[in-house]
Amino acid sequence: MQNFVEEILKRRTFAIISHPDAGKTTLTEKLLLYGGAIHVAGAVKSNKIKKTATSDWMEIEKQRGISVATSVMGFDYDSYHINILDTPGHQDFAEDTFRTLTAVDSVIIVIDSAKGVETQTRRLMEVCRMRKTPVMVFMNKMDREGKDPFDLMDDVEQELGINVTPMSWANGQGIKFEEVWTRGSDKWNANMRPEDRELIEGVYPEFDRDLYLAGDLAPVFYGSAYKTIGVQELLDFFVKNAPSPRPIDALERTVDPMEESFTGFCFKIHANMDPNHRSCIAFFKICSGRFERNVYYKHVRKDQQMRFSAPTCFMAQKKETVDEAFAGDIVGLPDTGNFKIGDTLTSGENLHFKGLPSFSPEMFKYIENADPMKQKQLDKGVHQLMDEGVAQLFVSQMNGRKIIGTVGQLQFEVIQYRLEHEYNAKCRWENLQMYKACWIESDDVEELELFKKRKAQYMALDKEGRDVFMADSGYVLNMAQNDYKHIKFHFTSEF
């Protein structure tokens, strides 16, 4: 039992989030270097990748220099076991990031010191605040001319609505930037300008771990991931202060990580981790207990017993089979179509974890087969990619045509590219003017049937077979909500 508790207490599972181009993937790599997980860093610079970054393994990411899929990487450092989830920076993939944040115990936000807080960072911080997730801030790119360090902290406090306290300080900026000083160290006391030190110690509170764990105080670090300055100071502080796995709310009860019985939920599905084998991997966050290979667990939604002979853990694309994993760990389970995002595995209890919604898409297109000989491949590709949560599939109840809904244009490009290169299928898109897709339900069966009959041309089914109203304008949606008082209109799939 002691070993079991120790294993869980040394877990640190966190996500790195940022606006695109703030240097998130570079920071991830440098952390992996310190952990000995990789031996050469692939520098991401000017949106072109010299050596492919370890976590950006999908081909379209290599070409465009952006992260569009969440990678999971584990390594050991200073007696701690660290699981990093490197999230998509691009706003079109925000939904993937929102779901990833349900699987982590803390977050590091990377901010470009020349730009300060940007739009995507604000949105992600809202999710952290909603979940009371502890946050640390890394002010990156101090080796370039940028905003004043004090202005950057003001920016974070005002824009992200969280109190900050600096735990390291940059010695110079731009070409003069050489090192960082850790708060309270000999160098901090001896080398820092007295007025700066007095201002910091007079205005910003001392670090209080309880306030940090409650999501009310963000420790701030300065550095350059590209030049590997300030990264170790961040990592050393992180492993000592970031939370080990925390209790997670299921619909039925709160699950404590120290419980001996195993529970976990699927927060991501990824097709074609290995294009040679056309395999899907379901990523599970272990919420409590110990997961063991070849042991039967209950798939709650299907009410079936399942066991897994080849569970894996990841160092980006390199994966290895694991015999056991503990609360806080992320395991990959080979998936032949058994899993959906949000599915729960347990030692036997019926539990349902919440907070894994699909959001109402903002862009819609009909998807058509561009090669009649490859219909089967197209159907399989679309089915698997939708299970991943890359986008959402709706089928028109009027004409049976398939509609893909996304939150941004880039997702259509990714889908088209991956269908062609991973499934040998070609698609073409046809624009569809649509305002909003909303899930509908009602206790008034007659009113619901009347609505569906009158709005037949706007009705579709999602991939779970649920009714979706496809409103082509805000006016039409408002009229529908006013005219049909007993129908509930939902803008996420979790209701």
Side-chain angles (χ1 to χ4, degrees), residues 306-322:
M306 295 180 123
R307 65 184 180 131
F308 306 93
S309 58
T312 51
C313 67
F314 293 87
M315 215 311 292
Q317 206 169 2
K318 288 186 289 221
K319 57 182 186 179
E320 54 187 53
T321 303
V322 289

Side-chain angles (χ1 to χ4, degrees), residues 427-445:
C427 75
R428 54 186 169 77
W429 303 106
E430 189 180 311
N431 283 334
L432 177 61
Q433 287 306 313
M434 194 63 64
Y435 170 69
K436 213 50 157 183
C438 41
W439 289 265
I440 60 168
E441 62 165 348
S442 179
D443 294 330
D444 187 330
V445 179

Side-chain angles (χ1 to χ4, degrees), residues 79-92:
S79 81
Y80 295 92
H81 183 72
I82 298 169
N83 297 303
I84 302 180
L85 280 75
D86 181 22
T87 58
H90 200 283
Q91 65 189 27
D92 286 5

Side-chain angles (χ1 to χ4, degrees), residues 269-490:
I269 294 172
H270 211 300
N272 295 319
M273 293 289 283
D274 179 353
N276 298 324
H277 295 100
R278 288 281 175 270
S279 57
C280 281
I281 297 277
F283 290 87
F284 271 77
K285 160 74 182 271
I286 301 179
C287 302
S288 69
R290 180 201 314 251
F291 172 89
E292 294 177 274
R293 185 159 76 104
N294 280 326
V295 168
Y296 278 99
Y297 295 112
K298 181 175 187 174
H299 186 317
V300 174
R301 177 176 56 85
K302 289 195 155 192
D303 194 21
Q304 284 178 3
Q305 293 290 315
M306 295 180 123
R307 65 184 180 131
F308 306 93
S309 58
T312 51
C313 67
F314 293 87
M315 215 311 292
Q317 206 169 2
K318 288 186 289 221
K319 57 182 186 179
E320 54 187 53
T321 303
V322 289
D323 289 321
E324 63 176 5
F326 296 87
D329 284 337
I330 309 293
V331 290
L333 302 179
D335 180 26
T336 53
N338 288 314
F339 293 118
K340 296 176 182 174
I341 287 168
D343 275 351
T344 305
L345 287 176
T346 72
S347 293
E349 188 179 357
N350 283 329
L351 284 176
H352 301 83
F353 291 96
K354 53 189 182 181
L356 289 146
S358 294
F359 296 84
S360 178
E362 292 165 22
M363 298 181 77
F364 302 87
K365 292 186 181 184
Y366 285 118
I367 185 167
E368 298 292 350
N369 185 8
D371 182 350
M373 303 297 287
K374 299 286 173 61
Q375 184 64 45
K376 204 171 169 185
Q377 289 90 326
L378 183 78
D379 289 344
K380 182 183 178 184
V382 168
H383 181 74
Q384 286 195 349
L385 292 177
M386 296 308 112
D387 277 349
E388 272 187 37
V390 171
Q392 292 178 63
L393 174 67
F394 305 100
V395 178
S396 167
Q397 292 186 34
M398 189 173 70
N399 55 25
R401 293 181 75 183
K402 288 179 178 170
I403 299 163
I404 303 289
T406 72
V407 294
Q409 175 59 33
L410 179 59
Q411 284 165 299
F412 292 115
E413 294 175 38
V414 169
I415 291 165
Q416 190 161 16
Y417 182 94
R418 291 185 63 189
L419 284 172
E420 187 168 344
H421 291 83
E422 296 173 17
Y423 297 92
N424 196 23
K426 289 189 175 177
C427 75
R428 54 186 169 77
W429 303 106
E430 189 180 311
N431 283 334
L432 177 61
Q433 287 306 313
M434 194 63 64
Y435 170 69
K436 213 50 157 183
C438 41
W439 289 265
I440 60 168
E441 62 165 348
S442 179
D443 294 330
D444 187 330
V445 179
E446 282 183 27
E447 185 167 324
L448 187 62
E449 286 308 310
L450 178 65
F451 177 85
K452 284 160 66 173
K453 200 173 283 183
R454 286 192 176 162
K455 304 288 183 185
Q457 70 193 88
Y458 299 112
M459 293 307 299
L461 295 174
D462 71 2
K463 65 182 175 55
E464 312 299 334
R466 292 177 297 192
D467 288 317
V468 179
F469 174 52
M470 313 283 279
D472 60 352
S473 71
Y475 174 75
V476 166
L477 178 58
N478 285 335
M479 289 293 287
Q481 288 172 308
N482 288 330
D483 292 346
Y484 296 87
K485 299 292 186 193
H486 299 112
I487 294 179
K488 292 178 186 148
F489 296 79
H490 301 282

Side-chain angles (χ1 to χ4, degrees), residues 203-237:
V203 172
Y204 297 99
E206 285 195 17
F207 174 69
D208 181 320
R209 187 166 183 256
D210 289 339
L211 287 176
Y212 157 69
L213 292 176
D216 294 328
L217 180 68
V220 175
F221 293 81
Y222 292 86
S224 163
Y226 179 62
K227 293 205 164 178
T228 325
I229 301 174
V231 177
Q232 186 156 13
E233 288 78 359
L234 169 69
L235 180 56
D236 287 342
F237 183 89

